[in-house]
Amino acid sequence: AWIKVEQLKPYHPHKEEMIKINKGKRFQQAVDAVEEFLRKTKGKDQASSHNSTEEKNRRNSSEERGKQSAGEEKRKASLSEGKVKKGTGEGKKRVSSVSSERGSKSPLKRAQDQSPRKRGRPPKDEKDLTIPESSTVKRVMTGTVAGFKWPPSVSEPVKDSDPHFHHFLLSQTEKPAVCYQAITKKLKVCEEETGSTSIQAADSTAVNGSITPTDKKIGFLGLGLMGSGIVSNLLKMGHTVTVWNRTAEKCDLFIQEGARLGRTPAEVVSTCDITFACVSDPKAAKDLVLGPSGVLQGIRPGKCYVDMSTVDADTVTELAQVIVSRGGRFLEAPVSGNQQLSNDGMLVILAAGDRGLYEDCSSCFQAMGKTSFFLGEVGNAAKMMLIVNMVQGSFMATIAEGLTLAQVTGQSQQTLLDILNQGQLASIFLDQKCQNILQGNFKPDFYLKYIQKDLRLAIALGDSVNHPTPMAAAANEVYKRAKALDQSDNDMSAVYRAYIH
C-alpha cells in the first residue's frame, strides 16, 4: 500500500479514532489482523520470559544441589538401606511431578522448548530477528492453506457463462521495500501459524509481490480529480506513462514522479501503445479526439485508445467508429468512484468494446481499480455508468432532503445520521456525505456539476427507450437549483444548499 509518511500514526493512541472514521470491511480485517499479531507477539514474549525464568531457577537449583552433593556422599554411605529406598521413592515422585508439569504446558510453550536454541540463551536483538519456518508451520500450511483455492491470476481470467459479462477481481499492491521485508516475513509466518487465509483471499497478490506492469507505453490525457489519482497509481506500479493536460501546469507533479510530457494529444497517441483519456463531458470527449492536434491525428493501425470519461452511448459509439476507421483499437472504460477511491486505486471499472484491448489493459486496471467488468459491445458501459450515477445522484438528493426536513421539524440531524448508520442504509457514502453537510465542508470529491450532467444524460437515456425516470428527473431539478446557487464546483453533497435557500 502507498501512504504519505506524515499520515502514519501510532497504532494504540489513534486506534479508536480511526476505527470510528473507517467502517469498511477491509479496514476492519486489517485491524483484526493487527490485534491478532500483537496478541500472539505478547503471548510469545510472556512465554519466553517465563521459560527464561524457569531455566534460570532450574540452573540455580542444579548448582545448589551440586554444592551439597560432596557433603551428602559421606552421609549417603552411612544411611540404612531403608532410608535409601525412601530417597529413591521421593526421587520418583519428583520426576513424576516434573513430567506432569511438562504435560500441562501449552502448545506454544512446547514448541519453544523443542526449538534448536540452547537453553538459557537470551533471544537475539530485534535487528537480527529472523523467524524460521518450523515443521509445525509447514504442517499447518499443508493441512489448512493447501486446501484453499486461490483466486485466479490476471493471466488466467475468470470464465463466465455469459461471454458479454466478464468479471475481474483486481488488486493494487506494490512490492514491499527492502526495509519492510522483516515485517512482511513476520506477518506471513503469523498467518501460517494461525492457518488464516483471509488477508491473502482479500488480496491475492499481497504475499506474491506487486503486479507486473505491461511493457507497453501508456499515455494519459486529462488530469482532473479522477485522472490525477489514476496516473499516480499507474506510475507507482511501474508503468511507463506520458501525460497531457489542457492546463499544462498540472503535469508538473507527475513529471517529478517519473512521467513523460506530451505536448499534444496527437503526440501522446503517436508515441504510446495504449492511450487513456478521462475528461468531463461529451463535448470535451469529442473535442479531445476530433479537435486540432487531437487524438485522431495520432491514430494509425495498431494504436489503442481507451476513453474513461462518463458520456452517453451515442458519443462513445461515434468516437469508436472514427478511431477504428483509422485502424485503431477502441475500448470504453468509465469508472465508478470518487477522488478518494481514485487516489487509493479502488475504482470500479466498467469496460466495453475491443475484448483483446481490455485484456491488454489488465495491469493498468489492476493499478487503478479493485474490480473491472467487461460488458460487451461499445455503448453498454456508458449506459451502465449513467444508471449507476443516476442511482447515486438521486440517493444524495434524498439524503439532503431528509436532513433538511429533520432540521425544520426540530429533530437532530446528527441523531438522524446515527440512526441511519445503525440501519440497512449504512454505508461509507452515506456517512461521508452527511458529515460534509453537518460540518459545512463541501470540498469536491465528486463535482456537483458532473453528477447533474450524469442525471441529465440518464434521463435522456430513459427517453430514448420510452422508460420513465421520475425520481431522477426530480433529483435533477434540485441539482439545477444548486447550480443556480453557485454550487457547481463544490461536492455533490452541496445539493443540500438547494433545500435551505
Side-chain angles (χ1 to χ4, degrees), residues 61 65 76 84 92 181 209 229 253 256 263 268 270 272 284 318 334 354 362-363 401 425 443 452 454 459 472 480 485:
S61 178
R65 284 198 298 271
K76 282 182 179 178
V84 171
K92 287 182 181 178
Q181 285 178 348
L253 176 62
Q256 294 172 16
R263 292 175 296 179
V268 174
S270 63
C272 296
E318 180 183 345
D354 188 318
S362 178
S363 71
E401 191 171 297
L425 292 178
K443 180 182 177 182
Q452 191 273 323
D454 293 344
I459 293 167
K480 286 162 63 177
L485 294 170

Side-chain angles (χ1 to χ4, degrees), residues 442-491:
F442 299 108
K443 180 182 177 182
D445 193 41
F446 192 119
Y447 283 114
L448 184 142
K449 61 185 177 184
Y450 292 160
I451 198 69
Q452 191 273 323
K453 175 261 300 182
D454 293 344
L455 280 166
R456 172 171 54 80
L457 293 176
I459 293 167
L461 176 62
D463 290 344
S464 69
V465 291
N466 294 317
H467 184 78
T469 53
M471 303 303 165
N476 186 46
E477 293 303 315
V478 183
Y479 283 99
K480 286 162 63 177
R481 168 67 176 160
K483 286 178 66 177
L485 294 170
D486 295 325
Q487 301 301 313
S488 292
D489 292 323
N490 283 334
D491 185 72

